[in-house]
Amino acid sequence: MNTPVTWLYVPGDRPERFDKAVGSGADVVIIDLEDAVAPARKDEARANAVAYLRARPDARVAVHVRVNDLGSERGRADLEAVGDLADGVRLPKVESAAVLDAVTGAPAYALLESAAGILAAREIAAHPKVAGVALGEQDLAAELAVTDERAMDHLRLQVVLAAAAAGLPPLPMSVFPNVKDEAGLLASCLAGRALGLFGRTAIHPRQIPVIRRAFRPSEEEAARAAEIVEAAEQAERSGAGAVALPDGRFVDAPIVARARRTLALAHRLADPPPSAEPPGRASDRFSGIS
């Protein structure tokens, strides 16, 4: 199964946007019952998510649900309602592995949004019910009063290491809140990619092509990967134990495996689908589809 590149949030209290989100070109759609929904509408949002998941016409795009904090009665009710219907559940504000013991149903994705969550990242990532981890950077930065990207990079790398050590998929990037700043989004994605992060959550479909472009291997990277794969195949055909490149350098098996992944990703992202952005406001936080 391909690791998702784009994850699109859609508010749970806007069910008319669910199908549009699924058709946006995102790899995963996340129906949000937490931050995007006012307290007075959270029960309605949960009912909307359940109804959609039971009747959804297109199961080709994965649909996850971000539930409310499992430390609350509402969060536990969310999980009970959607756990056996969604393709994944995103659990906010996870601060210890112990809270995951009671999780049942769909694969769980733990969101680390606090200092306690970062410090427990290794244990959380290693929990058998966790299929992936991600950061909630806005909440984390607010708690720590962090304004320097270098400090955030330090925190990101801790979770990148925890995910890799646990054998989980690469850490996706947190949302970029300014949907009109495509240049800023692209630069941010490229910086995250250099740290070992892969893919990103979006709050509007216009961000999806930018994210895909940022994580698509460049022509130079694809050409270099093709050279490595060709050398490996030649070595296999000739029975040689070592893989030598035309310039005389030798590469080992992990480099060859990475080159194969690079070529597969370049092929997968070669023709990004157009943004499915309909008219409307595009500046609302967690607006999903406007």
mmCIF file of all heavy atoms in Angstrom, residues 181-201:
data_model
loop_
_atom_site.group_PDB
_atom_site.id
_atom_site.type_symbol
_atom_site.label_atom_id
_atom_site.label_comp_id
_atom_site.label_asym_id
_atom_site.label_seq_id
_atom_site.Cartn_x
_atom_site.Cartn_y
_atom_site.Cartn_z
ATOM 1 N N ASP A 181 -1.055 31.289 0.693
ATOM 2 C CA ASP A 181 0.396 31.417 0.542
ATOM 3 C C ASP A 181 0.970 30.117 -0.015
ATOM 4 O O ASP A 181 1.553 29.308 0.712
ATOM 5 C CB ASP A 181 1.033 31.761 1.888
ATOM 6 C CG ASP A 181 2.537 32.009 1.787
ATOM 7 O OD1 ASP A 181 3.068 32.043 0.642
ATOM 8 O OD2 ASP A 181 3.179 32.164 2.841
ATOM 9 N N GLU A 182 0.824 29.923 -1.317
ATOM 10 C CA GLU A 182 1.303 28.682 -1.926
ATOM 11 C C GLU A 182 2.824 28.616 -1.953
ATOM 12 O O GLU A 182 3.394 27.531 -1.811
ATOM 13 C CB GLU A 182 0.715 28.534 -3.326
ATOM 14 C CG GLU A 182 -0.796 28.352 -3.316
ATOM 15 C CD GLU A 182 -1.370 28.035 -4.681
ATOM 16 O OE1 GLU A 182 -0.586 27.969 -5.651
ATOM 17 O OE2 GLU A 182 -2.595 27.852 -4.778
ATOM 18 N N ALA A 183 3.481 29.760 -2.128
ATOM 19 C CA ALA A 183 4.943 29.768 -2.120
ATOM 20 C C ALA A 183 5.462 29.383 -0.734
ATOM 21 O O ALA A 183 6.437 28.616 -0.602
ATOM 22 C CB ALA A 183 5.472 31.141 -2.519
ATOM 23 N N GLY A 184 4.818 29.913 0.297
ATOM 24 C CA GLY A 184 5.219 29.562 1.654
ATOM 25 C C GLY A 184 4.981 28.101 1.950
ATOM 26 O O GLY A 184 5.799 27.437 2.607
ATOM 27 N N LEU A 185 3.864 27.562 1.468
ATOM 28 C CA LEU A 185 3.564 26.148 1.652
ATOM 29 C C LEU A 185 4.606 25.278 0.972
ATOM 30 O O LEU A 185 5.104 24.302 1.556
ATOM 31 C CB LEU A 185 2.172 25.840 1.096
ATOM 32 C CG LEU A 185 1.776 24.368 1.016
ATOM 33 C CD1 LEU A 185 1.769 23.723 2.385
ATOM 34 C CD2 LEU A 185 0.406 24.218 0.341
ATOM 35 N N LEU A 186 4.966 25.631 -0.261
ATOM 36 C CA LEU A 186 5.957 24.852 -0.989
ATOM 37 C C LEU A 186 7.293 24.862 -0.268
ATOM 38 O O LEU A 186 7.929 23.811 -0.083
ATOM 39 C CB LEU A 186 6.119 25.404 -2.406
ATOM 40 C CG LEU A 186 7.142 24.691 -3.289
ATOM 41 C CD1 LEU A 186 6.764 23.237 -3.505
ATOM 42 C CD2 LEU A 186 7.281 25.414 -4.634
ATOM 43 N N ALA A 187 7.739 26.030 0.176
ATOM 44 C CA ALA A 187 9.016 26.133 0.876
ATOM 45 C C ALA A 187 8.992 25.335 2.172
ATOM 46 O O ALA A 187 9.969 24.656 2.523
ATOM 47 C CB ALA A 187 9.344 27.598 1.161
ATOM 48 N N SER A 188 7.879 25.411 2.886
ATOM 49 C CA SER A 188 7.751 24.665 4.139
ATOM 50 C C SER A 188 7.801 23.162 3.891
ATOM 51 O O SER A 188 8.458 22.415 4.624
ATOM 52 C CB SER A 188 6.451 25.054 4.829
ATOM 53 O OG SER A 188 6.240 24.297 5.989
ATOM 54 N N CYS A 189 7.104 22.704 2.837
ATOM 55 C CA CYS A 189 7.121 21.275 2.507
ATOM 56 C C CYS A 189 8.527 20.794 2.151
ATOM 57 O O CYS A 189 8.952 19.713 2.570
ATOM 58 C CB CYS A 189 6.169 20.989 1.346
ATOM 59 S SG CYS A 189 4.420 21.093 1.735
ATOM 60 N N LEU A 190 9.245 21.588 1.382
ATOM 61 C CA LEU A 190 10.604 21.200 0.989
ATOM 62 C C LEU A 190 11.516 21.119 2.200
ATOM 63 O O LEU A 190 12.370 20.223 2.298
ATOM 64 C CB LEU A 190 11.154 22.181 -0.046
ATOM 65 C CG LEU A 190 10.450 22.158 -1.410
ATOM 66 C CD1 LEU A 190 10.980 23.281 -2.303
ATOM 67 C CD2 LEU A 190 10.629 20.804 -2.093
ATOM 68 N N ALA A 191 11.333 22.041 3.146
ATOM 69 C CA ALA A 191 12.141 22.003 4.372
ATOM 70 C C ALA A 191 11.812 20.761 5.194
ATOM 71 O O ALA A 191 12.706 20.103 5.740
ATOM 72 C CB ALA A 191 11.899 23.271 5.192
ATOM 73 N N GLY A 192 10.527 20.414 5.275
ATOM 74 C CA GLY A 192 10.142 19.222 6.009
ATOM 75 C C GLY A 192 10.634 17.954 5.339
ATOM 76 O O GLY A 192 11.086 17.016 6.008
ATOM 77 N N ARG A 193 10.580 17.942 4.034
ATOM 78 C CA ARG A 193 11.074 16.779 3.295
ATOM 79 C C ARG A 193 12.551 16.539 3.580
ATOM 80 O O ARG A 193 12.992 15.390 3.717
ATOM 81 C CB ARG A 193 10.851 17.012 1.795
ATOM 82 C CG ARG A 193 11.318 15.886 0.910
ATOM 83 C CD ARG A 193 11.130 16.226 -0.555
ATOM 84 N NE ARG A 193 11.733 15.221 -1.424
ATOM 85 C CZ ARG A 193 11.935 15.361 -2.716
ATOM 86 N NH1 ARG A 193 11.551 16.474 -3.313
ATOM 87 N NH2 ARG A 193 12.492 14.407 -3.415
ATOM 88 N N ALA A 194 13.317 17.619 3.696
ATOM 89 C CA ALA A 194 14.748 17.491 3.988
ATOM 90 C C ALA A 194 15.003 16.898 5.372
ATOM 91 O O ALA A 194 16.081 16.342 5.622
ATOM 92 C CB ALA A 194 15.425 18.861 3.874
ATOM 93 N N LEU A 195 14.021 17.003 6.269
ATOM 94 C CA LEU A 195 14.150 16.453 7.616
ATOM 95 C C LEU A 195 13.691 15.003 7.696
ATOM 96 O O LEU A 195 13.773 14.390 8.763
ATOM 97 C CB LEU A 195 13.335 17.288 8.606
ATOM 98 C CG LEU A 195 13.824 18.700 8.904
ATOM 99 C CD1 LEU A 195 12.827 19.402 9.803
ATOM 100 C CD2 LEU A 195 15.198 18.673 9.562
ATOM 101 N N GLY A 196 13.182 14.470 6.605
ATOM 102 C CA GLY A 196 12.702 13.105 6.617
ATOM 103 C C GLY A 196 11.209 12.967 6.794
ATOM 104 O O GLY A 196 10.694 11.854 6.916
ATOM 105 N N LEU A 197 10.476 14.091 6.827
ATOM 106 C CA LEU A 197 9.031 14.019 6.869
ATOM 107 C C LEU A 197 8.505 13.724 5.468
ATOM 108 O O LEU A 197 9.174 14.026 4.467
ATOM 109 C CB LEU A 197 8.427 15.323 7.398
ATOM 110 C CG LEU A 197 8.598 15.581 8.900
ATOM 111 C CD1 LEU A 197 9.943 16.224 9.208
ATOM 112 C CD2 LEU A 197 7.480 16.474 9.426
ATOM 113 N N PHE A 198 7.292 13.154 5.409
ATOM 114 C CA PHE A 198 6.766 12.775 4.095
ATOM 115 C C PHE A 198 5.269 13.014 4.047
ATOM 116 O O PHE A 198 4.504 12.489 4.854
ATOM 117 C CB PHE A 198 7.048 11.301 3.801
ATOM 118 C CG PHE A 198 6.547 10.858 2.452
ATOM 119 C CD1 PHE A 198 7.279 11.140 1.306
ATOM 120 C CD2 PHE A 198 5.344 10.185 2.329
ATOM 121 C CE1 PHE A 198 6.808 10.756 0.056
ATOM 122 C CE2 PHE A 198 4.866 9.793 1.092
ATOM 123 C CZ PHE A 198 5.609 10.077 -0.050
ATOM 124 N N GLY A 199 4.845 13.821 3.080
ATOM 125 C CA GLY A 199 3.438 14.134 2.920
ATOM 126 C C GLY A 199 2.993 15.198 3.904
ATOM 127 O O GLY A 199 3.748 15.638 4.770
ATOM 128 N N ARG A 200 1.717 15.626 3.737
ATOM 129 C CA ARG A 200 1.241 16.719 4.596
ATOM 130 C C ARG A 200 -0.282 16.714 4.660
ATOM 131 O O ARG A 200 -0.967 16.360 3.705
ATOM 132 C CB ARG A 200 1.721 18.055 4.049
ATOM 133 C CG ARG A 200 1.446 19.219 4.985
ATOM 134 C CD ARG A 200 2.279 20.415 4.651
ATOM 135 N NE ARG A 200 2.433 21.254 5.834
ATOM 136 C CZ ARG A 200 3.387 22.154 5.999
ATOM 137 N NH1 ARG A 200 4.295 22.346 5.055
ATOM 138 N NH2 ARG A 200 3.459 22.868 7.103
ATOM 139 N N THR A 201 -0.807 17.143 5.804
ATOM 140 C CA THR A 201 -2.237 17.375 5.927
ATOM 141 C C THR A 201 -2.569 18.752 5.371
ATOM 142 O O THR A 201 -1.802 19.700 5.525
ATOM 143 C CB THR A 201 -2.693 17.283 7.391
ATOM 144 O OG1 THR A 201 -1.844 18.088 8.209
ATOM 145 C CG2 THR A 201 -2.639 15.857 7.882
#
